[in-house]
């Protein structure tokens, strides 16, 4: 693989069939292109995407500035699968989190008042919730699409709800997605699995997605600032 500069962007020349563009977790624009594709084609591609790149980067910045900083105190509202719950915090010897759907409460028991420690306990709980929920949603859509994957990874992701390595058939889902509605979760799963057949975001890709989820644009709007795949 070799790297060249075009219009100020690093172009990664590699064995791929199409030009691929994405924004990585460090807010850097990553572009890969076929080894023998003429530079003028890449330049035209970049110019056609410049407004989209600016829009994405602006959304990331806005999301960061508007992101709510939790204090993890009693009375805060936290979400799971799109539903709002009131947080109750108690001091105890064993760190744990429990959910009461009847009272719409999440109980956080902690042996420390430190915000970072409470965040770690909550993050671990959310991860366990995601680990229980996501595989079932993925399996559902694999059956619908008649596809298969080699691995599902659930992890924190800074700028994406999910990603797909179509060569290895790996799917990655953002732990934070477990806080969104079932509709949004299903859309992200469908979106990533669709990349197994259509690696880029061309017309064929969105026609394929729309065929299985005609109202997918509503999900995209709901996902808002983190609409990067």
């Amino acid at each position: 693989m070799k790297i060249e500069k075009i219009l100020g962007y690093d172009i990664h020349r590699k064995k791929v069939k199409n030009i691929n563009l994405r924004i990585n977790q460090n807010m850097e624009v990553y572009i890969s292109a076929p080894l023998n594709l003429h530079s003028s084609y890449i330049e035209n591609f970049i110019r056609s995407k410049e407004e989209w790149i600016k829009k994405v980067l602006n959304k990331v910045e806005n999301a960061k500035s508007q992101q709510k900083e939790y204090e993890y105190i009693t009375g805060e509202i936290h979400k799971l699968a799109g539903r709002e719950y009131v947080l109750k915090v108690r001091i105890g010897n064993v760190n744990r989190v429990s959910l009461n759907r009847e009272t719409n409460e999440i109980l956080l028991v902690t042996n420390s008042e430190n915000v970072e420690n409470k965040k770690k306990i909550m993050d671990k709980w959310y991860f366990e919730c995601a680990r229980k929920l996501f595989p079932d949603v993925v399996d559902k859509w694999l059956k619908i699409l008649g596809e298969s994957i080699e691995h599902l990874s659930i992890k924190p992701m800074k700028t994406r709800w999910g990603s797909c390595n179509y060569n290895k058939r790996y799917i990655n889902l953002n732990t934070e997605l477990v806080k969104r509605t079932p509709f949004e979760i299903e859309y992200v799963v469908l979106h990533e699995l669709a990349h197994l057949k259509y690696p880029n975001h061309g017309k064929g890709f969105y026609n394929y997605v729309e065929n299985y989820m005609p109202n997918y644009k509503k999900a995209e709007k709901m996902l808002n600032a983190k609409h990067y795949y």
Side-chain angles (χ1 to χ4, degrees):
M1 183 184 75
K2 70 174 185 176
I3 300 176
E4 65 178 283
K5 282 275 189 185
I6 297 180
L7 296 178
Y9 295 99
D10 288 337
I11 310 301
H12 300 254
R13 295 279 192 169
K14 55 199 301 187
K15 292 182 180 179
V16 293
K17 292 182 180 180
N18 303 300
I19 304 175
N20 297 299
L21 183 157
R22 62 182 173 83
I23 312 293
N24 69 19
Q25 294 185 1
N26 296 319
M27 291 178 62
E28 298 169 337
V29 179
Y30 178 90
I31 302 173
S32 61
L35 292 168
N36 299 318
L37 186 65
H38 196 280
S39 297
S40 63
Y41 286 96
I42 302 173
E43 183 175 331
N44 289 336
F45 173 83
I46 294 172
R47 291 188 188 281
S48 72
K49 296 294 183 179
E50 279 186 322
E51 285 302 314
W52 179 85
I53 292 170
K54 290 177 183 177
K55 185 178 179 181
V56 169
L57 294 178
N58 285 336
K59 279 187 175 182
V60 174
E61 286 296 335
N62 291 336
K64 285 185 175 181
S65 63
Q66 296 173 11
Q67 191 171 20
K68 183 175 181 179
E69 292 295 331
Y70 286 109
E71 297 179 51
Y72 299 96
I73 57 176
T74 295
E76 279 185 345
I77 302 298
H78 290 253
K79 290 185 178 182
L80 177 66
R83 184 172 169 180
E84 293 185 344
Y85 295 89
V86 178
L87 183 67
K88 282 195 171 183
V89 181
R90 293 179 184 170
I91 297 297
N93 295 324
V94 180
N95 294 324
R96 64 182 177 87
V97 180
S98 59
L99 177 71
N100 189 326
R101 295 185 185 277
E102 292 184 1
T103 61
N104 278 351
E105 293 176 345
I106 296 174
L107 174 63
L108 166 62
V109 179
T110 173
N111 58 13
S112 171
E113 288 285 2
N114 182 277
V115 173
E116 283 303 313
N117 287 339
K118 288 190 283 187
K119 182 180 184 303
K120 287 179 182 178
I121 298 167
M122 288 291 290
D123 285 348
K124 182 179 179 182
W125 178 73
Y126 272 118
F127 171 76
E128 292 300 326
C129 291
R131 197 172 68 164
K132 292 176 183 177
L133 175 61
F134 291 171
D136 288 341
V137 180
V138 171
D139 286 344
K140 169 189 170 179
W141 280 100
L142 285 173
K143 290 176 183 176
I144 292 173
L145 302 175
E147 294 284 0
S148 64
I149 59 173
E150 294 296 324
H151 181 68
L152 169 63
S153 175
I154 301 167
K155 59 186 180 181
M157 302 172 75
K158 291 182 180 179
T159 61
R160 292 178 162 200
W161 289 117
S163 64
C164 170
N165 184 322
Y166 61 90
N167 288 318
K168 293 184 177 180
R169 304 186 77 80
Y170 285 5
I171 297 295
N172 301 304
L173 295 176
N174 190 336
T175 312
E176 287 290 304
L177 185 62
V178 78
K179 300 175 183 179
R180 312 299 295 201
T181 65
F183 174 49
E184 291 168 274
I185 294 171
E186 296 223 4
Y187 169 66
V188 173
V189 170
L190 170 59
H191 186 116
E192 300 310 334
L193 293 179
H195 280 312
L196 297 172
K197 190 177 292 289
Y198 295 94
N200 56 33
H201 289 110
K203 185 177 180 180
F205 171 85
Y206 283 108
N207 286 341
Y208 182 76
V209 170
E210 187 174 23
N211 183 55
Y212 291 96
M213 189 178 285
N215 58 343
Y216 79 92
K217 289 183 179 179
K218 180 181 177 181
E220 288 189 340
K221 289 181 180 179
M222 292 170 68
L223 289 162
N224 197 9
K226 281 197 174 180
H227 174 207
Y228 323 122
Y229 302 90

